[in-house]
Amino acid sequence: MHPSVKTPASVPKWEEFTVTDAPQPAQLDNIKAQLDLILLALEALAGIGSEAMLRAAVDLKIESMVADRVALWRLRQSSPLRKGQGGRKKLDVEEARALVLISCYLAKQNQELIRRAVGLLEQLAEQNREPHQAALIGDYLDTFCNTYQERMEDGESVSPDTLTHLALKLLIDLLFYSGPGGSRRLWLALLDRSR
């Protein structure tokens, strides 16, 4: 994968995004799906795997929520977009917040790579060129699309253009989630999108 310089990530706090109204079960399903896609985008861009996610949980002192690979797999597998019935179907608010913290922590660690990718995307758009013409973005799009097709229930039926659009939107979103207040920004976006 592409090397990137890791920037030190400050530890976000639970207080950064409190829950005034607990999401309803249907909203939590949508939140599960969105969080899984964000983690998929991080995986595809930065080569982040379950070990990095578990290390982030330890760094954030939330390892009780994501204790091991099986717990992480069950949380991710609970996304309604996923193939198979192996995961737990219920994700509670605290687990959702834990995944938000992990996602933003990892995005912040890979902020330089995310910035470089978004910068390339802007350059290509200005030059009226296709995103895949830059190696970094082309590799990201290929990995994202292939992984989506392998893991998601509708993977085989979603058009490549739709997947490319989704991957690029998530890439731009990652830029916002990697900055100061990223956890709060992501949490509010999840709540807003789930309504």
Side-chain angles (χ1 to χ4, degrees):
M1 209 39 48
H2 304 283
S4 67
V5 175
K6 308 277 185 200
T7 57
S10 61
V11 178
K13 306 282 187 258
W14 283 115
E15 306 83 58
E16 285 186 22
F17 52 102
T18 55
V19 179
T20 49
D21 296 320
Q24 298 301 310
Q27 286 178 291
L28 274 172
D29 274 352
N30 196 322
I31 288 170
K32 287 187 279 193
Q34 294 298 318
L35 283 169
D36 192 37
L37 289 173
I38 288 162
L39 287 168
L40 176 62
L42 275 167
E43 282 179 69
L45 180 67
I48 291 170
S50 57
E51 284 306 313
M53 293 175 202
L54 293 172
R55 263 193 317 277
V58 170
D59 292 349
L60 294 164
K61 299 180 181 7
I62 55 173
E63 62 266 33
S64 62
M65 301 268 184
V66 188
D68 55 31
R69 284 174 179 252
V70 174
L72 177 62
W73 177 82
R74 284 189 170 170
L75 286 177
R76 303 255 337 251
Q77 196 68 18
S78 70
S79 166
L81 300 177
R82 288 280 187 137
K83 287 180 182 175
Q85 301 298 315
R88 199 181 67 205
K89 294 304 176 203
K90 181 179 166 286
L91 177 81
D92 68 31
V93 173
E94 296 306 306
E95 290 167 333
R97 294 198 315 172
L99 289 178
V100 166
L101 288 174
I102 290 168
S103 299
C104 293
Y105 183 81
L106 292 171
K108 188 173 189 106
Q109 282 186 330
N110 291 279
Q111 188 178 49
E112 181 183 307
L113 179 62
I114 294 166
R115 284 185 185 279
R116 193 162 32 120
V118 171
L120 277 171
L121 189 60
E122 289 172 343
Q123 283 177 5
L124 291 166
E126 286 170 7
Q127 297 166 1
N128 252 353
R129 294 171 56 204
E130 292 297 316
H132 67 270
Q133 290 180 322
L136 174 62
I137 299 173
D139 290 346
Y140 163 68
L141 291 173
D142 287 346
T143 304
F144 181 91
C145 293
N146 290 336
T147 308
Y148 186 99
Q149 288 171 335
E150 282 173 20
R151 294 184 188 169
M152 303 305 176
E153 194 65 49
D154 67 349
E156 297 302 316
S157 60
V158 178
S159 76
D161 286 347
T162 301
L163 281 180
T164 296
H165 179 76
L166 175 62
L168 294 175
K169 182 194 179 317
L170 288 166
L171 176 63
I172 293 164
D173 288 350
L174 283 175
L175 182 62
F176 292 103
Y177 305 149
S178 70
S183 299
R184 179 171 170 70
R185 189 175 287 129
L186 173 53
W187 184 247
L188 293 174
L190 289 169
L191 290 174
D192 187 52
R193 289 177 192 157
S194 68
R195 289 192 175 96

